[in-house]
């Protein structure tokens, strides 16, 4: 079996990379170890409206709920609202992530990519020290898939990168360990995604309520693995729900465990190899959101691969424009937010309460972590000192 | 008596991959939607045990 490109993983990063590579003429195979793309869902399913700009989705089957904005609730219950100017002017979506992933995969297939399910990459292949494909396993049988370029879009585990000798192992300090119920028969404001902060609620992370419909919401929690005890996410999630009568009366339709890298992006290019998405740690370290980043990076990766196939050159130098382009765009934001993550982690609950109180009537011009940081600096010039490294980064 | 090693309770594991991403020994792999620890490579550092959101990993003496 021989392809130009073999993509390991059919999540958003893999499918979007495959799509853009195939559109520029590459012969692409995606392998996925699951038996259904996007299933089981391991996601809070919230995404910003900016996802429309990539034009990688058709129709609206993937859309569960339109959002007006987000609300951050401090440990003492003070609420900071980040919302669109006018009601009904939606700023984000809550998805059906399984359908979302399947639509992205369909986009890749329409562009000419092939997709093989139930197929797990178990190693990379090398010839004379050069990566030339992956060893795969399907229904107990191992076989080789040769390819000029291997794309590691294998999510948080990032084994492809590890097998290639890249440092993909996460420090517990850079991992959010998560649990989530999709609860039915619950009450909430369906126009907002809510984020609850506090050391007692979610050490080093937050609890969330993302509304999927009238009385259905994803209620989850993420805590920093370095602050976690065995099984702590689930215990704290149950505590969060049981202390709120409007959630406690709900019944779960789905339960999941999850792992989100909240690291800085890592090296993502070697000869004949690219890492994309969670595998390259392309996730917003403040929110843990990785869908937008995976799509943005996937598009850039696919386009870079297209050029490499045209020139029949697959060395690191040829593939590096992928990483260089992201360094000037996506990575600036991710690195800045990593610094903010560290500052927030160092804050006591009472500081968070004080900051929330000072922002509770603030009018945000835009719904983003950057607008939140700008507002904080405006209200608390003393924070500037702590945020200095961050401002330097965003000016780069 | 052997040394303690991490052990995944297959009934509890929900295949989130968190343990795999933090294991410094690359001792864990996902097999049929369950994490499995390779006894040969595990050094019982306990990192995965703390990182598991549902408490599916413990250390057992083999
Ligand atoms: C609990 C939780 C909540 C989240 N909430 C949000 C949110 O609300 N908004 C947001 O933007 N992001 C959220 N994220 C993050 C988001 O889910 C990820 O950033 C996103 O899925 C990354 O996409 P990906 O394609 O890189 O990886 P994945 O979606 O993880 O896809 C990787 C794919 O590779 C496959 N695979 C892995 N190894 C192999 C192998 N060896 N062989 C074959 N196939 C393999 C897997 O089966 C999987 O299908 C959340 C994550 C979690 C865990
Ligand atoms: S961290 Fe726990 S639930 Fe997640 S894969 Fe490992 S053992 Fe399974
Ligand atoms: S105890 Fe340490 S070495 Fe053993 S599997 Fe867990 S993380 Fe890996």
């Amino acid at each position: 079996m021989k392809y130009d490109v073999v993509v390991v993983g059919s999540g958003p990063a893999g499918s979007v990379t495959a799509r853009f590579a195939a559109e520029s003429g590459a012969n692409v195979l995606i392998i996925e170890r699951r038996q259904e793309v996007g299933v089981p869902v391991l996601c809070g399913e919230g995404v910003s409206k900016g996802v429309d700009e990539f034009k990688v989705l058709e129709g609206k089957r993937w859309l569960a709920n339109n959002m007006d904005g987000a609300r951050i609730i401090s440990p003492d219950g003070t609420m900071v609202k980040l919302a669109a100017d006018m009601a009904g002017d939606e700023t984000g979506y809550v998805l059906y992530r399984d359908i979302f992933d399947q639509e992205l995969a369909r986009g890749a297939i329409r562009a000419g990519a092939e997709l093989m399910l139930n197929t797990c990459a178990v190693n990379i292949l090398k010839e004379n020290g050069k990566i030339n494909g992956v060893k795969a396993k399907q229904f107990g049988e191992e076989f080789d898939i040769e390819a000029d370029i291997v794309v590691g879009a294998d999510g948080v585990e990032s084994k492809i990168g590890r097998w290639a000798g890249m440092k993909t192992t996460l420090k517990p300090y850079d991992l959010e360990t998560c649990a989530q119920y999709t609860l039915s028969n619950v009450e909430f404001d369906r126009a907002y995604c809510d984020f609850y902060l506090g050391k007692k609620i979610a050490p080093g992370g937050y609890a969330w309520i993302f509304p999927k419909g009238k009385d259905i919401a994803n209620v989850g929690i993420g805590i920093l693995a370095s602050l976690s005890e065995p099984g702590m996410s689930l215990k704290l999630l149950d505590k969060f729900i049981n202390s709120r009568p409007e959630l406690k009366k709900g019944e779960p339709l789905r339960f999941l465990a999850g792992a989100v890298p909240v690291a800085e992006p890592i090296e993502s290019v070697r000869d004949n190899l690219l890492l994309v998405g969670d595998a390259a740690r392309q996730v917003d370290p403040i929110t843990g959101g990785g869908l937008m980043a995976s799509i943005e990076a996937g598009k850039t990766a696919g386009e870079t691969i297209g050029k490499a196939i045209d020139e029949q050159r697959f060395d690191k130098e040829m593939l590096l424009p992928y990483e260089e382009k992201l360094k000037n765009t996506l990575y600036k934001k991710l690195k800045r937010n990593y610094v903010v993550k560290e500052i927030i982690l160092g804050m006591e609950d009472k500081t968070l309460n004080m900051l929330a109180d000072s922002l509770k009537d603030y009018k945000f011009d835009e719904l983003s972590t950057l607008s939140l940081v700008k507002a904080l600096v405006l209200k608390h010039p003393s924070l500037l000192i702590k945020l200095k490294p961050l401002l330097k980064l965003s000016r780069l | 008596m052997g040394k303690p090693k991490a052990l995944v309770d297959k009934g509890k594991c929900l295949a989130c991959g968190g343990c795999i991403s933090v294991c410094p020994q690359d001792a864990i792999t996902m097999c049929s939607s369950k994490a499995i620890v390779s006894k040969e490579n595990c050094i019982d550092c306990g990192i995965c045990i703390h990182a598991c959101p549902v408490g599916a990993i413990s250390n057992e003496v083999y």
Side-chain angles (χ1 to χ4, degrees), chain B residues 16-44:
Chain B
C16 73
C19 54
I20 297 175
S21 71
V22 291
C23 173
Q25 293 297 108
D26 197 12
I28 318 179
T29 23
M30 200 67 79
C31 265
S32 310
S33 300
K34 302 289 162 192
I36 292 181
V37 177
S38 137
K39 276 181 277 180
E40 292 71 47
N41 298 339
C42 173
I43 53 167
D44 195 42

Side-chain angles (χ1 to χ4, degrees), chain A residues 17-86:
Chain A
T17 305
R19 174 193 180 129
F20 284 93
E23 275 179 4
S24 45
N27 180 12
V28 183
L29 172 70
I30 310 172
I31 63 169
E32 169 56 57
R33 70 182 174 199
R34 296 167 161 190
Q35 60 178 345
E36 180 174 358
V37 172
V39 180
V41 170
L42 303 178
C43 190
E45 306 182 293
V47 75
S48 124
K49 196 174 184 290
V51 73
D52 293 340
E53 282 156 35
F54 293 103
K55 300 194 168 46
V56 286
L57 290 155
E58 264 186 28
K60 292 275 177 206
R61 275 202 323 130
W62 47 271
L63 175 62
N65 192 19
N66 279 305
M67 309 307 305
D68 288 345
R71 300 185 297 197
I72 302 167
I73 297 97
S74 79
D76 70 359
T78 309
M79 188 182 277
V80 177
K81 208 190 246 186
L82 292 122
D85 279 347
M86 281 183 292

